[in-house]
Structures are given as C-alpha cells and as structure tokens.
Amino acid sequence: MLKTKLTATTALAALALTVPAALMAQDRVLNIYNWSDYIAEDTIAKFEEEFDVTVNYDVYDGNEVLEARLFAGNTGFDIVVPTSDFLRRQVLAGIYQPLDYSKLPNAENMDPDLMAAAAVYDADNAHSVIYMWGTTGIGYNTAMIEERLGADAPTDSWDMVFDPEVISQLADCGVTMLDAPTEMLPAAMNYLGLDPRSTDTDDLEAGAELLASIRPYVRYFHSSQYISDLANGDVCLSVGWSGDVFQALYRAEEAENGVEIAYVIPSEGALQWFDMMAIPADAPNPDLAHEFINFVMRPDITADITNYVWYANGNAASLELVDPEITGDPGIFPTEAAKDRLWASEVYDARTDRTINRLWTTVKTGE
C-alpha cells in the first residue's frame, strides 16, 4: 500500500510539473492571417526558432475577405494585416485591442512621418503599426505594350486603363484589374477630374460608368493572380499594388523568360495605402502577437521582408539594409513630386459601402 501511495503521489507530482509545461507549449502557438505573397521566405522560420514558437500562417487576397471573417468573430487569429481604410472602421467597431507599446521597444525604429500619416486611420497608432505601404498603379509588359501602342504609348498615364481607344488595343494581350472596388472606383473618379475621396453617389456612379465602358476589354478582376500572369507574359497590363508588380518583375528576371515588366505611378496620381499589423480583441495569444510585431520591427527583419516582397516599409532604421535597387526605385519609394499626387483612402460609412458594392457588381458582371 505504501508503495502504491508513493507511486500515486509521485505521479501526481509529475503531473503537476508536466501539465503547466504542456499548457505553456500550447500557448506558444501564434496564428497569423496576412496577405498572400507578402513576407520573406524565412521570416516565420526565424521567429519560430528564436522564440520557440509554432506559427500557423494563413493568407487572403482581399480586404473584404479579412473583414468578413473579423466581423463574424472568433477567428482565432492573433495578428491580422488590414489596409488603413478598412482598419479605421474596424477600430471603430471594437475589432482590435490597444497595443501595449511597453512590449514594442522596436517601435522607435519607425518613421515618425509615415506613422503620423497612418495615424489618420488609427489615432495615435493606438491599435496598429505599419507593416508595409505602397501605391496602386499600373504594371505592364514593356514589349507587348510597345508592340500594340508604339514607342509613344502613354505608359505614365491612366489613359492606358481608362481611355477606351487605348485599352481596346490591349484586350488581346490581357488586361486585369484588382477586385477592389474601394480602389478602382476612386481611380476612375480621379481620372474624370473628380475627388477620388468623394462619397457623393453621383461621383461614384460616374466612376462606375467609366469602368463599365472599358469592361469589355478587361480579362479578369483578381487581386493576386496577376502577379504570376504578368511574370509569365500571360497578360500585358494590370492595375495592381506596387510591390506585387515588382514581385512579378523579379520572378520574370529569375526565370530568364525574356519578359520585361515595369511599374508606374500615373501622372494623374494614385492611391497611397498602409497595411497595418493589428491584434484582434479576441486574440488567444496577445503577448505572442506583441513579440512578433516587435520582431518584425527589427531593422534586419523589416529589410528582409522588403528585399523579398519589394514593398516600401515604414521602418526608417531598416533602409540602410534594403537593396539600393529597391530604395532607389521611384515606383517603390516615390519621389517627392509623386508623393504630392498621391491620395489617401476614404473611410466609407455603411450606406456608401452598399452603393459601392452594388456599382462594383454591375461593373464586374457587365449587367
């Protein structure tokens, strides 16, 4: 009996020691939901090894997809990366918890001017920090465009997209657009000389009418497929995000397939956006989430990501570690003159959202 009691006691003692350890191991799991093709190949592996963490990493290719999951609740995600305008209304809806900056010492590396610009969407950057930022412009296959439009092609203008006489000549080689109504409608409105941030129904309808007029020449609307299609020469022009187009350029160069890609911020202006790291209010592992955000804000880690995805970042301390080919490219880090022509996203109310979604459905379906 004594032996049995001692064995039981020993077992209970062992259990008391091992259960917390097991729980701790379970707690060292981080769940990240980020954009597709948007992180260096070794970033997650480095974090897992350095912090003894298991990371579950999932991807999406549209803000609407992320927002639907966030508003449904109980996502299980610890970190998400919404774009600034979507972030704003999600903050107002209480989707995110405030950041504890005492756990984010690397925030001192961030560019104060860019963080101030991002604070328009999240006052005092209370719930988010910049992951990457960029513009929405035009990516194109240089040879295919010259073949169809000649050496004087208006490659620095939205004429390439919104002038029916121009875009109709490109339909055979493939034109694509982002499946992002809150970006495409403002671009069309801006081209018409309207305020791209307008929420006036007449202005939105004018933008949709312009998009509908060129709809017959658009092969598809998608927010990630165009990367590989541009790189492979399967399409000749894509309205896309700056870094995505540069990824296509880089992939084509690696493949040595003879495809030459260029990216331009149109002379009429373009959207400037910020993708922000944020922690959902119901995140199961907020402490780990802070560790990861702080890790990403290390200059070497941010530089790794920018060098891989070719997106501008908001980490001033990282720039000396970024490939000069990237920091010196005005399509990635715009000139001061180009910056003056950029506009910020508007934060839409529910009524405007419904209008935009209705108009976008009409544009995409052609009905």
Side-chain angles (χ1 to χ4, degrees):
M1 289 295 293
L2 181 59
K3 181 177 179 181
T4 302
K5 287 181 179 179
L6 286 174
T7 301
T9 302
T10 303
L12 288 171
L15 185 63
L17 290 172
T18 58
V19 168
L23 289 174
M24 286 180 63
Q26 290 177 356
D27 287 343
R28 303 295 290 177
V29 175
L30 184 67
N31 304 292
I32 301 174
Y33 198 34
N34 196 2
W35 292 85
S36 59
D37 300 296
Y38 210 31
I39 197 166
E41 289 181 307
D42 58 355
T43 305
I44 297 301
K46 284 181 177 179
F47 182 73
E48 288 180 321
E49 180 177 359
E50 186 170 334
F51 290 86
D52 190 25
V53 176
T54 297
V55 175
N56 296 321
Y57 190 86
D58 199 4
V59 300
Y60 54 91
D61 65 4
N63 273 296
E64 292 81 6
V65 175
L66 170 62
E67 184 165 88
R69 296 196 64 173
L70 289 172
F71 278 106
N74 299 314
T75 64
F77 296 126
D78 298 302
I79 295 176
V80 294
V81 192
T83 304
S84 42
D85 54 332
F86 281 77
L87 169 87
R88 174 60 178 162
R89 63 186 181 195
Q90 292 158 8
V91 166
L92 294 174
I95 292 293
Y96 302 113
Q97 59 181 266
L99 295 177
D100 182 348
Y101 275 89
S102 70
K103 299 177 181 178
L104 301 173
N106 288 332
E108 68 180 14
N109 297 322
M110 303 302 288
D111 184 310
D113 291 335
L114 288 172
M115 289 293 282
V120 170
Y121 304 96
D122 178 21
D124 300 321
N125 307 117
H127 304 83
S128 61
V129 296
I130 298 170
Y131 179 69
M132 296 284 145
W133 69 274
T135 55
T136 300
I138 302 171
Y140 62 95
N141 182 305
T142 57
M144 287 182 174
I145 296 302
E146 184 172 351
E147 179 184 353
R148 287 158 179 80
L149 300 179
D152 296 328
T155 53
D156 66 342
S157 170
W158 281 112
D159 286 342
M160 291 266 284
V161 177
F162 294 125
D163 185 338
E165 292 187 9
V166 177
I167 192 174
S168 62
Q169 299 178 63
L170 306 177
D172 70 301
C173 60
V175 175
T176 79
M177 285 189 182
L178 294 168
D179 189 4
T182 57
E183 301 200 27
M184 294 309 310
L185 280 168
M189 291 156 57
N190 180 69
Y191 182 74
L192 293 171
L194 302 171
D195 180 359
R197 302 189 66 189
S198 172
T199 60
D200 184 89
T201 301
D202 289 342
D203 291 347
L204 292 167
E205 288 180 344
E209 184 176 347
L210 174 58
L211 285 162
S213 73
I214 60 169
R215 173 65 183 90
Y217 314 118
V218 178
R219 182 173 295 179
Y220 64 73
F221 297 84
H222 201 279
S223 299
S224 61
Q225 182 180 338
Y226 69 96
I227 302 174
S228 58
D229 284 351
L230 271 177
N232 296 332
D234 295 330
V235 300
C236 62
L237 186 146
S238 294
V239 178
W241 296 309
S242 51
D244 280 3
V245 175
F246 281 101
Q247 284 188 56
L249 181 155
Y250 182 67
R251 290 183 189 182
E253 288 181 348
E254 274 198 326
E256 297 181 349
N257 60 6
V259 173
E260 292 186 3
I261 304 297
Y263 175 80
V264 65
I265 299 172
S267 58
E268 299 91 345
L271 171 68
Q272 178 187 33
W273 44 261
F274 299 93
D275 285 336
M276 311 294 293
M277 291 185 287
I279 305 174
D282 60 355
N285 298 293
D287 288 338
L288 266 184
H290 279 84
E291 286 187 36
F292 184 80
I293 292 173
N294 194 56
F295 173 76
V296 168
M297 289 192 294
R298 264 177 29 190
D300 59 318
I301 300 302
T302 301
D304 283 348
I305 297 172
T306 287
N307 285 333
Y308 186 76
V309 304
W310 291 52
Y311 274 97
N313 68 61
N315 190 322
S318 77
L319 297 185
E320 64 182 17
L321 303 175
V322 175
D323 187 334
E325 182 182 358
I326 295 175
T327 55
D329 194 309
I332 304 174
F333 287 90
T335 64
E336 291 304 315
K339 286 181 181 177
D340 291 339
R341 299 193 299 271
L342 301 179
W343 68 79
S345 302
E346 181 57 62
V347 180
Y348 300 115
D349 58 24
R351 179 191 62 81
T352 306
D353 263 340
R354 289 192 295 271
T355 299
I356 288 173
N357 289 332
R358 172 179 57 80
L359 293 172
W360 189 241
T361 298
T362 301
V363 168
K364 286 178 62 178
T365 60
E367 298 176 358

